[in-house]
């Protein structure tokens, strides 16, 4: 039975890998109609796109089970196809209309943006006699120490925090506590950890909503920084490309280091792709076995399957690439012969 869970990047890679059509269903969290009637409309859309009962039935059953298990859950996103067993993801906070596609590649861009806005984090509540460290994957750890020796205790807590950040490969640290104690914790972290970590101070409030707000603020800061980098390196130093043709050419050549895709995407722009991750082109090649898909979906598939980082940016954001797509490219190496 498919399990409903929060998606991770590796899940999206599995979903976009097939070249055959995949059913992609987004069911929003604020319905104005009964759930059953909403699903019937989405099922009709999948069938009109060419999906058969062998796809529509299982994905509908998986969504129904997820909805029955938690009717108050946020947006549900599901994928299914001949090469993709039904998978349902819970994406609370993802504002999306009820929409369905049976297309190739799978339509993961809205879910990818949701994942990008919610990177994993380490959460720490630190005081003068105790510290509590928690992560989504590693659970919770409590440390207790004497108040009169709180600085030494905080140094021990910092060592535990640093070990957790490195082990879990996490770059966001959300901290709650008094200014002086938090400052001591930060100062006690090893310099390499401080360089690679974005810290957010939450005062004394570590409620789930406050933690999510701080994590999303950190993610927005990262996006602003990479867009500035795209402008400085990509445009000023001419190490980037933007626009449909140049970006697809860079993806096909395997030169892309970081891909930028605008959201909402242009749902009329298309591109062609084959089985290989870098087999992409703005137009179909004669004699080649290519499929046509939405430009954003084709570019995202090529990047994810090539191990390339993808940044989803708001289409109207300052310094966003033209035509809603662009990339930073690897510096070409020059062979020097003796």
């Amino acid at each position: 039975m498919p399990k409903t869970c929060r998606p991770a990047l590796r899940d999206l890679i599995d979903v976009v890998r097939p070249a055959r059509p995949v059913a992609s269903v987004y069911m929003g969290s604020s319905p104005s109609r009964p759930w059953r009637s909403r699903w019937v409309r989405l099922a009709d859309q999948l069938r009109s796109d060419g999906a058969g009962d062998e796809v529509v039935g299982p994905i509908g059953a998986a969504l129904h089970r997820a909805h029955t298990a938690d009717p108050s859950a946020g947006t549900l996103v599901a994928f299914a196809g001949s090469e993709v067993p039904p998978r349902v993801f819970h994406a609370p906070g993802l504002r999306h209309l009820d929409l369905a596609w049976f297309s190739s590649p799978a339509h993961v861009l809205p879910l990818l943006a949701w994942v990008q806005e919610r990177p994993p984090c380490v959460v720490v509540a630190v005081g003068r006699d105790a510290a509590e460290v928690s992560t989504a994957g590693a659970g919770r750890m409590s440390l207790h120490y004497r108040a009169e020796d709180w600085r030494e205790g905080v140094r021990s807590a910092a060592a535990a925090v640093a070990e957790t950040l490195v082990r879990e490969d996490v770059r966001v640290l959300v901290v709650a506590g008094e200014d002086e104690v938090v400052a001591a914790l930060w100062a006690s972290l090893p310099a390499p950890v401080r360089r690679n970590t974005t810290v957010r101070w939450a005062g004394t409030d570590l409620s789930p909503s406050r933690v999510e707000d701080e994590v999303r603020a950190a993610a927005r800061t990262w996006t602003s920084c990479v867009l500035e980098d795209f402008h400085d390196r990509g445009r000023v130093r001419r190490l980037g490309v933007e626009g449909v043709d140049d970006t697809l050419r860079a993806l096909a050549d395997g030169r892309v280091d970081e891909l930028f895709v605008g959201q909402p995407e242009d749902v009329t722009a298309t591109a062609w792709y084959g089985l290989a991750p870098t087999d992409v082109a703005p137009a179909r090649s004669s004699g080649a076995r290519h499929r046509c898909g939405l430009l954003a979906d084709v570019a995202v598939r090529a990047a994810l399957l090539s191990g390339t980082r993808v940044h989803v940016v708001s289409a109207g954001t300052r310094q966003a690439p033209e035509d809603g797509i662009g990339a930073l490219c690897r510096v070409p190496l020059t062979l020097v012969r003796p």
Side-chain angles (χ1 to χ4, degrees):
M1 179 181 297
K3 181 181 179 182
T4 306
C5 60
R6 292 198 177 201
L9 188 60
R10 62 182 177 274
D11 297 312
L12 303 188
I13 293 173
D14 291 340
V15 167
V16 301
R17 192 180 304 279
R20 295 180 180 177
V22 173
S24 307
V25 179
Y26 289 74
M27 296 195 74
S29 57
S30 300
S32 57
R33 293 184 297 164
W35 191 91
R36 177 63 184 171
S37 64
R38 294 165 61 203
W39 165 244
V40 167
R41 185 180 68 82
L42 294 173
D44 288 344
Q45 180 61 57
L46 291 175
R47 291 189 178 96
S48 70
D49 287 346
D53 289 340
E54 72 281 0
V55 171
V56 177
I59 196 173
L63 279 165
H64 178 69
R65 285 192 293 267
H67 174 72
T68 302
D70 186 2
S72 63
T75 296
L76 294 175
V77 184
F79 303 95
S82 60
E83 300 175 52
V84 179
R87 307 193 68 176
V88 181
F89 299 107
H90 180 208
L94 173 59
R95 294 184 176 89
H96 205 286
L97 299 174
D98 287 356
L99 291 174
W101 300 260
F102 185 62
S103 60
S104 58
H107 187 63
V108 301
L109 189 67
L111 198 54
L112 180 62
W114 185 90
V115 171
Q116 175 183 295
E117 291 178 352
R118 294 162 176 82
C121 70
V122 172
V123 179
V124 183
V126 60
R128 295 177 183 269
D129 58 359
E132 191 169 88
V133 184
S134 60
T135 69
R140 191 181 302 269
M141 173 176 55
S142 297
L143 295 90
H144 298 274
Y145 37 84
R146 296 188 304 174
E148 56 269 27
D149 297 327
W150 70 267
R151 291 186 182 277
E152 184 63 31
V154 167
R155 281 193 285 271
S156 298
V161 169
E163 194 274 335
T164 304
L165 287 165
V166 173
R167 184 185 67 247
E168 300 292 320
D169 192 23
V170 173
R171 296 173 52 214
V172 180
L173 176 63
V174 180
V175 187
E178 301 175 23
D179 292 11
E180 185 181 16
V181 180
V182 169
L185 177 80
W186 178 249
S188 299
L189 292 174
V193 172
R194 291 202 304 270
R195 282 196 301 269
N196 296 325
T197 304
T198 297
V199 64
R200 301 288 303 184
W201 180 54
T204 59
D205 180 9
L206 276 184
S207 63
S209 60
R210 178 61 183 272
V211 171
E212 181 171 340
D213 287 345
E214 297 299 336
V215 168
R216 295 182 68 182
R220 287 193 295 270
T221 299
W222 293 352
T223 300
S224 297
C225 289
V226 296
L227 282 173
E228 289 178 9
D229 194 34
F230 173 71
H231 179 74
D232 293 342
R233 286 201 293 148
R235 292 182 175 129
V236 177
R237 297 171 56 191
R238 300 175 183 263
L239 295 177
V241 294
E242 52 189 322
V244 177
D245 290 355
D246 288 345
T247 304
L248 289 177
R249 191 176 299 112
L251 283 168
D253 292 341
R255 294 187 291 115
V256 173
D257 199 32
E258 298 185 61
L259 176 71
F260 297 84
V261 180
Q263 188 190 39
E265 68 277 21
D266 181 356
V267 295
T268 65
T270 59
W272 293 82
Y273 75 100
L275 289 176
T278 57
D279 188 6
V280 295
R284 187 175 187 176
S285 302
S286 59
R289 296 183 60 185
H290 279 179
R291 294 180 179 271
C292 184
L294 290 178
L295 169 65
D297 294 338
V298 170
V300 166
R301 177 183 185 270
L304 291 181
L305 296 186
S306 302
T308 300
R309 183 175 299 174
V310 181
H311 303 285
V312 183
V313 300
S314 298
T317 302
R318 186 176 66 90
Q319 298 180 342
E322 66 178 52
D323 296 335
I325 190 167
L328 276 172
C329 298
R330 300 184 183 93
V331 179
L333 300 178
T334 301
L335 180 62
V336 179
R337 297 185 183 277

